[in-house]
Amino acid sequence: MWRIAVYETLYSLIHGLYTVFEFFCGVFEYVYKIVFFTCHEFLFPSQKSIRLKELVDKIKKKPKHLTVLLGPEEPEVADLANLVIWCLASQILFISFYDHKGTLKKKEEKLQTEVKKRSGETAQIIWYTDENSNLENGFKGSKVHVKVITEEDSKMSAVNITNSLLESRERDFTIENIHKHFVKQFNFPDPEMGIVFGKDYCFYNYPPWQMRLTEFFRLTSLKGITYAQFLQLLVKFTSREQRLGK
Amino acid sequence: MSWIVDNQLTGFQKFCVNVIKCGPVPKHIAIIMDGNRRYALKNKMGKTEGHTKGFERLAECLLWCRELGVKEVTVYAFSIENFNRTKEEVDTLMSLAKEKFEKVFEEKDKIMMEGIKIRVLGNLSLVPEDIRILLAKSVLLTKDNDKSILNIAFSYTSRDEIVHSMKTIVEGLEAKKIEPRDVDVDLLSYCMYSNQSPDPDILIRTSGEVRLSDFLLWQIAENTQICFTEVLWPDFSIWNLLGCVFKYQRAYPTLKKYKDVCQSKRKILSNRIIAFLEDIEKKRMEQMEVYAKA
């Protein structure tokens, strides 16, 4: 009996210590971010652009579609708008936000206004909302396509495709053909890169068909994400190599 | 090297296993055993030897899981995409698989005594016949065991599995075994190759890769703690495993909350669907017997 008591005590102790450790890491990260930010913004602004330039130079390969998994945290519109603007600046053509809680859909308008405010006249932001999902052709400036993904776009799309196959009497069950149906439903290319936000590494029902080859990176929190952090992730993405089973 | 290895855990390792076991223990762990070739390269040995080392590690890892009380393990042994590797390497992998599945029958007594059930997930029609016979025989031999379960994804990709599930449903609808209103996410899940298993609680991928590579996409999407680790598979140790379980325990409250939300949306199965699913399972077993007798 005493053995079990020892195990249980140790178990609680380890997890307890880890919670404390996590807390201090969080505080440290927060303070670091503030100090770092102030130093760069106010003390050595020239240093900042050099550093960012260094990062940009390291990026050899960019995803066509970057997808962001928001996790349990309630996102700030300002941070999301930043991500869109940075994609615009990095010539990433597609960005999507996956929000399993379904709250972002309600804030979408706010996000649109915020992005518009920052992007200026020359950029084109194409929103893929329920009503409008058409591409405007012939535009020469920089552009980015934005989409908010919800749980409805996830496994439900496989159900919808099954139903439409039955109705249309189509019986072509090759992966290529089914993939065409998924692409049509999803309206976006498969994401090559994904950022998962949250303490825990979990996908919360992200559309499964689409994440076959996505390279995932995790950050603990979206709050106050910096351009340097964003670039660092792109640098990490550059160093990935896809072997496709070989 | 065999499927069942003797328990070589040190006293301290056993102690730590017992401590971790005080918290929530995953029921099902999925593993992408990546890095055998890189391990071979690093240690200046042939690719074959790298793969053999990988298998040894798997046998040990299964033992650790049994010690921890993890009932079910799913491993990605061979992807449909792997058929695109050089003929030489595909042949090597196939002969290694053959050797290991022949071993199942040599070690029949031990496997039956441990109560290990072997299941194969994948599109077996693509597998060379000699190996298919062995796979089917292993499944049939162990089908009544229930102490621990090893799912081997062989000639598997998740997209292939999802398409297979859709096809099964459309055929069921055409044969009037089910009705259009029965078609939902759960029915698709029940028609996957993995329909007998709960979704994995943890996915482990070794050797620093950070993608899913078409493995259990459907099953992992909802509620699985992802562990990407830098270590190469043949170097994977019990400490890496305990680390992953520890992370799972950290995430457990959040995962549980989300799982409950998902579960609450689930409907009770009608008798019609239950009959349909039983029929699928029966057919699958019959197919296995056909394969085994070929």
Side-chain angles (χ1 to χ4, degrees):
Chain A
M1 263 340 263
W2 65 271
R3 269 170 187 260
I4 293 172
V6 171
Y7 297 146
E8 275 175 358
T9 317
L10 269 175
Y11 175 82
S12 312
L13 192 71
I14 293 168
H15 276 272
L17 282 176
Y18 196 82
T19 308
V20 175
F21 170 73
E22 244 178 5
F23 173 77
F24 280 109
C25 278
V27 171
F28 177 76
E29 217 172 281
Y30 186 72
V31 172
Y32 179 80
K33 241 186 200 173
I34 291 176
V35 173
F36 195 80
F37 188 77
T38 354
C39 286
H40 275 105
E41 287 301 305
F42 303 109
L43 300 179
F44 328 99
S46 58
Q47 280 283 315
K48 183 187 167 187
S49 50
I50 291 170
R51 212 180 102 77
L52 291 180
K53 173 117 196 356
E54 268 172 16
L55 282 172
V56 171
D57 286 343
K58 277 193 209 154
I59 299 166
K60 299 275 179 292
K61 178 176 86 174
K62 281 169 207 157
K64 192 173 167 203
H65 173 194
L66 167 70
T67 191
V68 178
L69 285 79
L70 294 171
E73 185 183 43
E74 204 51 63
E76 302 280 345
V77 170
D79 293 323
L80 299 175
N82 274 336
L83 286 172
V84 176
I85 299 296
W86 296 334
C87 279
L88 195 66
S90 320
Q91 289 152 340
I92 293 171
L93 269 176
F94 296 86
I95 178 167
S96 57
F97 297 103
Y98 177 62
D99 171 39
H100 69 278
K101 309 178 294 300
T103 46
L104 185 57
K105 265 279 172 220
K106 290 171 210 147
K107 283 197 224 164
E108 206 172 344
E109 232 165 86
K110 235 170 130 188
L111 178 60
Q112 290 185 2
T113 339
E114 183 73 24
V115 170
K116 195 153 206 170
K117 214 165 69 191
R118 297 188 197 191
S119 62
E121 292 294 309
T122 50
Q124 192 187 24
I125 320 277
I126 304 150
W127 293 86
Y128 281 58
T129 48
D130 301 329
E131 311 90 54
N132 149 45
S133 56
N134 288 321
L135 270 176
E136 283 171 50
N137 285 323
F139 184 80
K140 289 254 161 56
S142 53
K143 67 177 170 193
V144 63
H145 304 252
V146 193
K147 180 184 164 92
V148 175
I149 311 171
T150 62
E151 265 190 319
E152 283 298 299
D153 302 303
S154 182
K155 292 180 177 173
M156 261 318 276
S157 58
V159 175
N160 297 338
I161 292 167
T162 313
N163 284 328
S164 73
L165 285 175
L166 185 77
E167 273 163 33
S168 66
R169 309 217 143 266
E170 189 190 318
R171 295 296 174 267
D172 180 2
F173 287 102
T174 54
I175 293 177
E176 294 74 34
N177 183 48
I178 302 294
H179 183 57
K180 273 186 209 149
H181 286 271
F182 272 104
V183 170
K184 214 169 127 199
Q185 282 237 338
F186 196 58
N187 229 332
F188 250 46
D190 288 353
E192 285 102 353
M193 176 174 171
I195 311 176
V196 182
F197 287 101
K199 248 171 50 186
D200 309 314
Y201 210 146
C202 178
F203 295 129
Y204 301 102
N205 258 328
Y206 189 84
W209 186 273
Q210 279 77 15
M211 61 175 173
R212 180 173 80 116
L213 295 174
T214 312
E215 306 273 356
F216 286 104
F217 304 94
R218 189 179 64 93
L219 289 180
T220 344
S221 170
L222 171 67
K223 212 157 255 155
I225 184 173
T226 62
Y227 187 43
Q229 271 179 307
F230 175 79
L231 290 177
Q232 271 156 6
L233 289 177
L234 286 180
V235 172
K236 273 195 196 169
F237 176 79
T238 298
S239 63
R240 311 301 325 172
E241 155 208 25
Q242 297 247 349
R243 286 169 294 136
L244 296 169
K246 292 199 178 124
Chain B
M1 188 67 196
S2 67
W3 285 91
I4 311 286
V5 290
D6 293 328
N7 198 338
Q8 289 160 335
L9 291 186
T10 62
F12 181 60
Q13 286 170 337
K14 254 195 188 140
F15 181 81
C16 292
V17 165
N18 280 326
V19 171
I20 284 288
K21 268 167 91 170
C22 291
V25 171
K27 290 187 184 69
H28 181 184
I29 297 183
I31 311 175
I32 304 179
M33 307 172 291
D34 209 352
N36 292 341
R37 288 182 294 178
R38 260 164 284 177
Y39 176 85
L41 208 66
K42 196 181 86 183
N43 292 290
K44 300 196 178 59
M45 43 170 85
K47 277 183 191 170
T48 319
E49 219 175 315
H51 288 301
T52 312
K53 282 267 181 252
F55 177 78
E56 284 173 20
R57 189 57 62 193
L58 170 63
E60 266 177 288
C61 186
L62 292 176
L63 169 79
W64 302 334
C65 286
R66 287 201 295 276
E67 285 286 310
L68 260 167
V70 177
K71 191 167 176 196
E72 190 159 357
V73 177
T74 302
V75 294
Y76 206 0
F78 197 85
S79 146
I80 295 177
E81 310 266 355
N82 288 153
F83 284 116
N84 298 330
R85 290 187 180 180
T86 61
K87 187 177 175 302
E88 191 199 344
E89 204 186 344
V90 172
D91 288 348
T92 316
L93 284 168
M94 285 298 157
S95 67
L96 185 73
K98 194 172 170 194
E99 186 191 313
K100 294 310 166 198
F101 280 100
E102 277 166 351
K103 200 110 196 167
V104 167
F105 297 94
E106 283 169 35
E107 298 182 324
K108 197 170 131 188
D109 297 339
K110 269 198 205 162
I111 288 178
M112 297 311 270
M113 207 168 72
E114 291 279 348
I116 297 169
K117 181 191 197 115
I118 296 175
R119 279 198 294 239
V120 178
L121 317 178
N123 191 338
L124 290 189
S125 64
L126 304 173
V127 177
E129 199 182 19
D130 53 338
I131 295 174
R132 192 164 61 208
I133 294 175
L134 285 168
L135 289 171
K137 279 186 173 167
S138 316
V139 172
L140 292 171
L141 172 75
T142 59
K143 72 176 171 23
D144 297 321
N145 290 348
D146 65 350
K147 257 167 75 192
S148 60
I149 300 164
L150 172 64
N151 301 304
I152 301 170
F154 202 94
S155 176
Y156 173 92
T157 63
S158 192
R159 283 192 173 178
D160 176 69
E161 182 185 32
I162 294 170
V163 172
H164 165 85
S165 173
M166 290 173 153
K167 193 174 166 210
T168 311
I169 290 175
V170 170
E171 283 168 0
L173 286 163
E174 281 181 327
K176 302 263 185 286
K177 285 180 187 156
I178 41 172
E179 291 176 10
R181 65 188 162 106
D182 296 335
V183 182
D184 59 9
V185 170
D186 293 334
L187 187 64
L188 274 161
S189 306
Y190 293 133
C191 293
M192 299 278 164
Y193 296 133
S194 67
N195 59 357
Q196 303 291 310
S197 314
D199 286 346
D201 298 302
I202 301 181
L203 169 83
I204 300 172
R205 177 161 198 173
T206 53
S207 91
E209 299 297 345
V210 290
R211 58 181 176 274
L212 302 174
S213 300
D214 224 334
F215 184 51
L216 301 179
L217 304 175
W218 185 273
Q219 295 83 344
I220 279 165
E222 188 176 299
N223 223 284
T224 304
Q225 167 71 23
I226 309 295
C227 290
F228 291 130
T229 151
E230 288 291 327
V231 59
L232 302 176
W233 175 250
D235 286 326
F236 191 82
S237 75
I238 187 165
W239 302 114
N240 297 115
L241 180 68
L242 290 179
C244 293
V245 176
F246 182 76
K247 274 190 214 151
Y248 164 76
Q249 292 177 335
R250 302 299 303 174
Y252 185 77
T254 328
L255 294 181
K256 177 85 174 44
K257 216 165 101 194
Y258 187 61
K259 194 175 191 166
D260 289 344
V261 173
C262 295
Q263 219 107 56
S264 68
K265 290 182 195 153
R266 246 152 234 165
K267 284 184 292 188
I268 298 167
L269 293 185
S270 67
N271 287 336
R272 182 174 55 241
I273 295 178
I274 293 173
F276 174 63
L277 297 175
E278 278 169 359
D279 188 46
I280 293 175
E281 194 49 31
K282 207 179 116 214
K283 278 202 185 126
R284 198 174 288 178
M285 275 311 183
E286 281 166 6
Q287 181 66 54
M288 282 292 168
E289 275 170 32
V290 173
Y291 283 150
K293 280 193 194 110

